[in-house]
Amino acid sequence: MLDLSNLNENQKKAVTIGNGPVVVVAGAGTGKTRVLTTRIAYLIENNLFNPDSILAITFTNKAANEMKQRVNALVKNTRLSWIGTYHSICLRILKEDIEHLNRNRNFGIIDDEDQMSLIKEIYKQFKVTKEICSTIKPKKALQLIEVIKFGNIDINNFTQLAALMKTAYICVPEEVKAIRLIFTEYQRKLITNNLLDFNDLLIYTNKLLSDNKEIRNKWQNRFSYILVDEFQDTNEIQFNILRMIIDQKHKNIFVVGDPDQSIYKWRGAYEWIFKDFREQIPESKLVILDTNYRSTKNILNGSNKLISNNFDRIKKNLITNNEQGELISYFHGDSQQDEGEFVSKKIIELVKNGAKYSDIAILYRSNYLSRFCEDALMINNIPYKIFGGIRFYQRKEIKDLIAYLKLMVGQDEISLKRIINVPTRGIGETTISKIDNYSAKTGLCFFDCLNLQDQNWNWKQCNKFYQTIINLRKEIKDKPVSEALKKIIELTNYDEYLKSLDLEDKRENINELINSIKIMEYSKELTIESYLDEISLYTDTSEQNNLKENFISLMTVHVAKGLEFPIVFLVGFSNNIFPPAKSTDYQEERRIAYVAMTRARQQLYITCSDGYTFSGATGPSMFLKEIGYENMIKIEQEFKSISSADLDWYDSKKQINDFSNMYEQKNINFVIGDVISHTIFGQGVVTNVEKDYLTVAFKAPYGIKTLMKNHKSIKRIKN
C-alpha cells in the first residue's frame, strides 16, 4: 500500500488528483520530484494506467534514472519503459517511424564537437573564409543553421533567407550566399552519412507528427498518461511535439515545474509556457506547492521579496516550518581581491566552526567570475573544484573509441575522419582532401572511396585501413559491446598509441568506459547500436554532482540549478555583472538570482566589489534593494591577518551603515613614495594620493590597490 502520510496537503492533492490535465507549480525545495514519482506510483498501484502506457519526460538522463529508481522503490518490480528526455523520446519515435520521412532508421547522431568538425571541414573544402566570406565564423554558421532549421526556411528562396539573415545583422549578399552554401553542404553530408544532429531529433519528430495523422494517432494511442518534469525549461518545438502526442479525448497530462525558475531562455526555453498551457487547455487543474523544506525563513523572506518584482507570474510565496536562521549576509569589497579574500576567510572560519568544505558552494553569473575566487582559495590552501568542465564523453580518448564503435555498425564520415589516422597510419590531410573532392564529385561515400585503387592519393594505406575496419566488424560479430571494444583497442594498437604520446594515464578513462558498458550489459540486453543511442543523449549534468569528496564547489548559477548546499556564496553581485550589462531582460535575470538564493539551506552570503576591470560594474546589483535590507546584515571588513588565531576579523552583529569603527581619526599627509604597512597586503609603496584615497603598489599576488588613507589597517613606516 502506497504510504502518503509523509506528504503535505497540497502534495497529497497533486498525487491523488483525478484524470485530465493538471498543472503543478512547484516552488524551490517544495518536493517536486517526490510528488512526480509518487504520482506515477499512485497511477500504477491503483491500476489506473498500464506502466507501458505512461510517458514521463525529464530534462537529463540522470533525472530519468533517478525517477525510475524512486518509482521502483515505491512500487516494486515496476518496469517503466518510457521515461527519458525529449531528445531520447524523439529518438525512439524516429527509430520506429523515420522511414515515413524517406530516411533510413539506422541513422547515427552527431554531437556539438562533431558538428563543429564538419563545419570546419566545409570551410576548408570550399575555402569559405578566404575566397567566399571572411566574416562568418564556424560557430556563427552553426547558430544560423539551427535558426534556419527551426524556422523551416527554404534555403533556395534567397529573399526568405536574406530576410532571416537580416535579423542576425547579416545583410551582405556574399554572406547570405556563404550561409546557403555551408547549410546545403552540411545537410548533404548529414544525409549522405545517414546522420542527424540533436536539433534534427526534434525537427524530424515534429514534422513526422505534423504531416502524418496516422502516425500522430499511433503515438497518441501509445501514451495514455503523460508527465513532464521541469516544464518551465520546455521550448516551443518541444511544446508542439508534446501537444501532438497528448490523447486528445482525455488529455491526461501532468506538468510540474516552477515558472520562477525559468532561466534557460538563451537556450530556447519558452518563458510563457505555463500561461499558454492553461489558456490552450482551460480545463486544466492548478495545484501550487509552496511549502519549502530546504531553506531557513530568512533566506526565503529575501528570495520571495526579490521574485515578487516580476510581473504577470503565477503568484506564490514560499513558506517553511524550518528555523528562522541567520539573516542573509552582504559584503561589499573595495576590489575583487578583497571580495575573494572575504570569501576565503569566511570559509576558513566556517570550517573551524564545524562546516565541511563540501557543504559550501560559490555561485556566479558567468564563468569568468571564478578567477578571483580561485586566486584567494589557492592562496589560502582551500580545496575546490569547478563544475561544468569537460565531460567524460567529450574526452579525446573516449571520443576516439566511440568513433570506432560507430564504424562497426555504420560508415559515417565524421567518425571515420576522426580516427582514420589515429593511431598514425600515414593518411594525412592532403589524402583526406582529395577523397573529399572525389566523393563530392561522384556521390560515392567517403568510406567506399577508401577501397579504390590506383588513385592520386595514398590509396594503399587507405585500402589497408578499409580492410582493418572490415576485419574488425567480422572479429566483433556477436560479441558483447565491452568485449568488442577491448578487441578494437587490441587490433588498432590504441594502447600503444597512448604510450607513444606519454598518455598512459588516459587508460584510466578507457577502463572506466569499459566498466560502464559492463554495468549496462548486466542490467539490460545491449547492442552497439543501442549503446550508441543511449550515450549520444548524455547531457552536461550527467557526470556531475559527485560531491562526496571534501572540496568547495564552484559553478555558475545555471549549473547549480537543481542542487542545494548548506552554505552558499553568491559572488559578483554588482550591476553590469548581475544583471550583465548586455542583458535587457531583467525578469530573466531576477529569476537567475532567485535560483541562486534558493540553493542555500542554512546560510547565504552575497558579495560584490569595486574594481572589476573590464565589466563596467557600477556598484551593488539593482537586485540588492529588491531583496530588502531588512532581510540582510552587512559585514564590515576590518583587515586583520588571516593567520590570526581567533579569526575575529569581523563582527556579524553590526548594523548596516555603522562604519565608524573602521577608520582612525587621524590625518596623515601621505605623499607619493611613502612606504606603508597593511595588515593583509604587507608593505607597499604609495603611487598616488587623491583626497581621501591612496593608490598603493603591493607585492604579488596583491598588486595595485586603492585604499582609504585613514583606514586603521594602514600604517606609514617610512617617509
Side-chain angles (χ1 to χ4, degrees):
M1 183 71 179
L2 193 62
D3 182 12
L4 304 182
S5 62
N6 60 346
L7 303 179
N8 64 42
E9 287 305 309
N10 282 353
Q11 289 176 331
K12 193 178 297 184
K13 179 182 177 183
V15 166
T16 61
I17 202 165
N19 294 343
V22 179
V23 175
V24 179
V25 174
T30 59
K32 169 183 67 66
T33 305
R34 174 189 290 182
V35 166
L36 193 60
T37 52
T38 309
R39 174 64 173 172
I40 297 173
Y42 179 84
L43 296 174
I44 295 169
E45 188 177 82
N46 289 278
N47 297 314
L48 297 174
F49 296 94
N50 186 310
D52 287 333
S53 73
I54 295 175
L55 167 64
I57 300 175
T58 68
F59 270 82
T60 68
N61 290 284
K62 180 182 176 183
N65 290 330
E66 182 183 348
M67 190 180 294
K68 289 177 185 176
Q69 292 168 6
R70 287 203 187 191
V71 172
N72 203 261
L74 294 169
V75 184
K76 299 296 182 184
N77 301 318
T78 297
R79 182 177 177 272
L80 292 168
S81 56
W82 285 96
I83 290 184
T85 64
Y86 277 105
H87 286 87
S88 69
I89 301 302
C90 288
L91 172 62
R92 293 180 66 179
I93 291 172
L94 292 175
K95 284 291 182 180
E96 282 195 33
D97 289 322
I98 197 171
E99 289 172 341
H100 291 276
L101 295 174
N102 297 317
R103 292 294 301 268
N104 190 311
R105 69 173 61 185
N106 294 319
F107 61 84
I109 303 167
I110 61 170
D111 61 15
D112 295 345
E113 185 179 328
D114 287 338
Q115 281 183 284
M116 184 57 73
S117 297
L118 184 57
I119 289 294
K120 287 180 178 178
E121 180 185 304
I122 292 169
Y123 269 60
K124 185 174 181 180
Q125 181 180 348
F126 291 94
K127 300 179 181 178
V128 172
T129 302
K130 292 180 181 178
E131 297 182 8
I132 297 178
C133 177
S134 61
T135 54
I136 299 175
K137 304 301 180 187
K139 185 177 180 181
K140 182 68 173 178
L142 266 180
Q143 292 171 345
L144 291 170
I145 286 171
E146 181 175 337
V147 171
I148 291 167
K149 284 189 173 188
F150 278 124
N152 196 26
I153 302 299
D154 180 0
I155 197 71
N156 294 313
N157 186 325
F158 191 86
T159 303
Q160 191 180 17
L161 180 62
L164 176 69
M165 295 299 101
K166 191 174 181 180
T167 64
Y169 303 102
I170 293 177
C171 305
V172 180
E174 287 72 19
E175 294 176 331
V176 178
K177 289 178 183 177
I179 287 298
R180 183 163 60 177
L181 173 105
I182 294 163
F183 179 87
T184 302
E185 183 61 16
Y186 174 80
Q187 285 297 98
R188 187 193 72 79
K189 285 182 177 291
L190 290 188
I191 293 170
T192 299
N193 292 284
N194 198 25
L195 294 171
L196 269 64
D197 60 30
F198 276 97
N199 293 325
D200 287 333
L201 292 175
L202 301 176
I203 291 165
Y204 276 76
T205 304
N206 186 59
K207 180 173 177 55
L208 178 69
L209 296 172
S210 298
D211 294 352
N212 194 314
K213 185 178 180 181
E214 183 179 342
I215 297 297
R216 187 165 65 248
N217 289 339
K218 166 189 169 180
W219 289 102
Q220 288 176 2
N221 293 331
R222 179 78 62 91
F223 304 126
S224 302
Y225 202 96
I226 300 175
L227 304 96
V228 185
D229 191 14
E230 303 287 4
F231 188 56
Q232 75 281 348
D233 295 335
T234 301
N235 64 32
E236 289 192 60
I237 193 168
Q238 290 166 343
F239 189 23
N240 199 46
I241 291 168
L242 186 64
R243 283 186 298 220
M244 287 190 286
I245 60 176
I246 296 172
D247 175 4
Q248 296 302 302
K249 182 178 179 181
H250 301 103
K251 296 183 181 177
N252 289 320
I253 181 165
F254 186 93
V255 300
V256 184
D258 184 5
D260 288 336
Q261 294 186 73
S262 177
I263 62 172
Y264 291 110
K265 186 177 180 181
W266 57 275
R267 210 163 65 185
Y270 183 30
E271 182 179 5
W272 305 110
I273 192 164
F274 276 87
K275 180 181 177 183
D276 282 6
F277 183 92
R278 297 177 69 202
E279 287 179 353
Q280 292 175 28
I281 311 178
E283 66 269 32
S284 60
K285 307 178 189 78
L286 175 66
V287 181
I288 294 180
L289 305 183
D290 56 5
T291 301
N292 177 283
Y293 294 94
R294 178 187 300 161
S295 305
T296 63
K297 287 183 172 70
N298 277 325
I299 291 173
L300 291 184
N301 288 341
S303 303
N304 284 330
K305 187 166 183 183
L306 171 68
I307 201 64
S308 67
N309 288 276
N310 275 3
F311 59 85
D312 201 18
R313 54 186 282 268
I314 299 175
K315 288 185 170 56
K316 68 179 187 303
N317 204 58
L318 295 183
I319 58 174
T320 185
N321 293 321
N322 292 341
E323 62 183 0
Q324 193 70 34
E326 297 182 15
L327 290 170
I328 298 167
S329 297
Y330 165 62
F331 173 83
H332 185 171
D334 292 332
S335 66
Q336 286 178 286
Q337 289 89 342
D338 290 345
E339 189 176 355
E341 190 70 14
F342 164 76
V343 171
S344 60
K345 278 184 170 184
K346 185 60 186 171
I347 288 171
I348 290 173
E349 192 223 3
L350 289 166
V351 171
K352 180 183 176 184
N353 290 335
K356 294 181 295 195
Y357 290 128
S358 57
D359 292 336
I360 303 169
I362 299 174
L363 308 183
Y364 32 80
R365 179 63 181 83
S366 303
N367 276 309
Y368 74 88
L369 293 166
S370 72
R371 187 198 59 79
F372 72 87
C373 293
E374 289 187 78
D375 287 350
L377 295 173
M378 285 189 289
I379 288 169
N380 293 295
N381 295 314
I382 297 172
Y384 71 92
K385 180 177 179 180
I386 293 181
F387 285 77
I390 296 175
R391 296 176 287 156
F392 180 81
Y393 289 92
Q394 292 299 321
R395 295 169 186 170
K396 181 187 182 304
E397 63 277 14
I398 303 302
K399 292 210 69 167
D400 287 347
L401 295 178
I402 296 300
Y404 272 109
L405 281 177
K406 288 181 178 179
L407 288 178
M408 297 303 100
V409 294
Q411 50 193 39
D412 82 80
E413 194 173 316
I414 308 300
S415 297
L416 184 60
K417 288 178 178 176
R418 180 179 185 90
I419 48 81
I420 195 170
N421 206 37
V422 178
T424 304
R425 300 184 177 89
I427 303 175
E429 292 296 323
T430 301
T431 292
I432 292 171
S433 179
K434 288 179 178 179
I435 297 174
D436 262 334
N437 291 333
Y438 186 89
S439 174
K441 181 179 178 181
T442 64
L444 191 65
C445 76
F446 191 100
F447 181 74
D448 288 339
C449 289
L450 298 178
N451 199 33
L452 299 174
Q453 297 182 4
D454 299 320
Q455 299 297 318
N456 66 337
W457 58 72
N458 192 355
W459 61 269
K460 289 184 179 180
Q461 287 302 109
C462 291
N463 285 179
K464 189 175 179 181
F465 176 67
Y466 178 91
Q467 199 56 50
T468 297
I469 298 300
I470 298 299
N471 291 339
L472 273 172
R473 289 173 178 174
K474 293 176 182 177
E475 283 280 344
I476 67 164
K477 189 178 181 182
D478 299 326
K479 286 184 183 292
V481 182
S482 57
E483 293 302 315
L485 186 57
K486 287 180 183 178
K487 183 60 69 174
I488 290 169
I489 293 168
E490 175 191 340
L491 295 183
T492 60
N493 294 317
Y494 197 85
D495 261 338
E496 296 302 316
Y497 162 71
L498 292 179
K499 289 178 184 177
S500 70
L501 297 177
D502 196 25
L503 295 173
E504 290 186 69
D505 59 317
K506 301 294 186 183
R507 197 63 177 86
E508 294 178 3
N509 292 333
I510 294 173
N511 288 337
E512 180 60 26
L513 177 66
I514 294 171
N515 289 337
S516 70
I517 295 172
K518 285 180 177 178
I519 292 170
M520 288 187 189
E521 287 171 340
Y522 182 78
S523 61
K524 66 177 81 171
E525 185 178 340
L526 198 68
T527 64
I528 292 178
E529 292 94 331
S530 63
Y531 173 70
L532 292 172
D533 284 344
E534 185 157 343
I535 65 166
S536 70
L537 298 164
Y538 285 172
T539 63
D540 286 342
T541 56
S542 62
E543 303 296 329
Q544 289 180 5
N545 200 25
N546 180 11
L547 303 178
K548 293 178 181 178
E549 297 178 55
N550 200 21
F551 49 72
I552 307 293
S553 298
L554 277 70
M555 62 190 78
T556 65
V557 180
H558 287 90
V559 172
K561 187 174 178 290
L563 305 179
E564 57 182 71
F565 301 87
I567 304 161
V568 168
F569 289 84
L570 176 54
V571 301
F573 208 63
S574 301
N575 270 334
N576 290 338
I577 294 176
F578 206 146
K582 63 183 179 182
S583 175
T584 57
D585 189 348
Y586 294 144
Q587 294 215 103
E588 171 101 343
E589 295 299 326
R590 197 175 280 113
R591 290 193 295 269
I592 297 171
Y594 175 77
V595 167
M597 294 173 68
T598 54
R599 299 312 93 196
R601 296 208 300 260
Q602 298 162 10
Q603 292 170 276
L604 174 61
Y605 297 86
I606 298 177
T607 71
C608 73
S609 61
D610 303 321
Y612 289 90
T613 54
F614 59 88
S615 63
T618 57
S621 170
M622 59 183 282
F623 298 144
L624 199 68
K625 184 178 179 181
E626 295 179 358
I627 293 169
Y629 291 113
E630 71 277 9
N631 296 313
M632 292 183 287
I633 187 165
K634 185 169 183 177
I635 296 177
E636 300 164 8
Q637 194 165 359
E638 290 197 359
F639 292 109
K640 285 193 178 178
S641 172
I642 197 162
S643 63
S644 298
D646 58 1
L647 287 166
D648 62 350
W649 52 280
Y650 80 97
D651 180 357
S652 63
K653 304 300 181 185
K654 289 173 188 169
Q655 296 301 309
I656 297 171
N657 298 328
D658 179 15
F659 299 99
S660 59
N661 67 328
M662 294 179 67
Y663 304 103
E664 300 284 3
Q665 297 299 318
K666 59 187 178 184
N667 187 20
I668 300 174
N669 293 319
F670 289 98
V671 297
I672 294 174
D674 277 350
V675 178
I676 66 150
S677 175
H678 190 280
T679 55
I680 290 293
F681 309 130
Q683 288 191 11
V685 178
V686 176
T687 60
N688 190 41
V689 180
E690 187 174 348
K691 295 184 180 179
D692 296 328
Y693 294 91
L694 301 177
T695 301
V696 184
F698 294 100
K699 293 181 179 178
Y702 301 111
I704 305 295
K705 292 186 176 295
T706 301
L707 307 170
M708 294 288 291
K709 69 180 183 182
N710 65 335
H711 198 284
K712 65 183 185 180
S713 62
I714 297 172
K715 181 180 178 182
R716 183 166 60 181
I717 60 175
K718 185 178 179 181
N719 189 290

